[in-house]
Amino acid sequence: MSRLTITGTRAPSRYGNEIARDFTYALVEQGIIIVSGAAYGIDGIAHHAALTIDRDTIGVLASSIDRPYPASNTSQIRRIGDDGLLITETPPGAPPPTVTRVQQRARLLAALSGATLIVEAAEHCESLRVADHALALGRPVAAIPGPITAGVSGGCHLLIGDGRARLVSTPEDVAQLCAGANSRPPAPLPPVLDEPAALTRERSGAGRLTRIERIAS
């Protein structure tokens, strides 16, 4: 199965909300597994859409599994763990993640998928860091354009304008990008920056996730 990282702003517009939801619905129906950061905004919308129609999704946490962050998103994070897969480098009992830890997670979001889709993001949005890590690994990045007057789409326009991302306007565009990414040899995971604990949860069943890939040792 293909994996696609979907991410973007924590404060999406109605347009971004609808795009993230509808693209996720269409892509998971084609067997693509959605990877995201289990955060607010575009991340949470993508996870929720996949879970709503009983499809697999992978949440990459900046926190430990026993102390989910953001804490107010604990219900969704637990559901991802029950019905999908959670991955983190942070050992149990660790304090809430620092800004540095959140930034480090970007390299995992990029590395765990064959392609990355930025749905809606401002020019200084953290999701642009995910895009840059994906490009460093030789993996394609796509971005969805928005209104030129919308600051929340400025990052997507920047990625498209300087050639870092391919402009996509339909789920079919993204599916083709994923199909092309699958034909490339896998790139190595980026280095771990400090002592990790690769904690995951496995679920098995027909057409389900059945194997845990350890992301650190």
Side-chain angles (χ1 to χ4, degrees):
M1 287 186 178
S2 299
R3 290 194 297 267
L4 170 71
T5 292
I6 294 181
T7 190
T9 179
R10 300 295 182 261
S13 66
R14 180 177 178 180
Y15 166 81
N17 189 316
E18 292 175 353
I19 290 293
R21 181 197 63 205
D22 294 347
F23 271 54
T24 298
Y25 283 152
L27 291 164
V28 297
E29 288 288 5
Q30 298 183 51
I32 295 172
I33 297 174
I34 302 303
V35 178
S36 199
Y40 298 124
I42 298 299
D43 290 24
I45 294 163
H47 286 306
H48 179 75
L51 292 168
T52 296
I53 57 174
D54 196 29
R55 296 296 190 273
D56 289 315
T57 186
I58 299 173
V60 182
L61 304 180
S63 64
S64 62
I65 284 182
D66 62 327
R67 299 180 67 179
Y69 178 87
S72 55
N73 209 29
T74 296
S75 178
Q76 184 183 69
I77 291 171
R78 286 178 175 168
R79 187 176 176 196
I80 295 169
D82 289 339
D83 297 336
L85 190 69
L86 290 173
I87 296 176
T88 184
E89 292 182 296
T90 306
T98 61
V99 171
T100 299
R101 169 57 66 189
V102 173
Q103 292 174 343
Q104 290 173 353
R105 176 186 57 176
R107 77 194 206 291
L108 300 181
L109 286 167
L112 287 168
S113 294
T116 293
L117 173 64
I118 309 299
V119 174
E120 194 175 48
E123 289 190 11
H124 300 292
C125 182
E126 184 64 29
S127 59
L128 271 65
R129 190 183 300 270
V130 180
D132 285 337
H133 279 296
L135 292 168
L137 291 169
R139 299 180 182 180
V141 175
I144 296 173
I148 61 173
T149 55
V152 76
S153 289
C156 291
H157 297 158
L158 182 64
L159 290 171
I160 294 167
D162 64 19
R164 283 181 286 168
R166 181 183 304 181
L167 186 156
V168 293
S169 58
T170 68
E172 289 70 27
D173 293 339
V174 182
Q176 290 176 8
L177 195 70
C178 291
N182 284 343
S183 66
R184 298 183 178 91
L189 285 169
V192 175
L193 302 183
D194 52 24
E195 185 177 355
L199 304 174
T200 58
R201 191 165 187 166
E202 181 181 29
R203 181 166 57 87
S204 62
R208 292 302 192 185
L209 298 170
T210 57
R211 183 165 63 94
I212 293 175
E213 296 180 7
R214 185 162 290 275
I215 60 175
S217 59

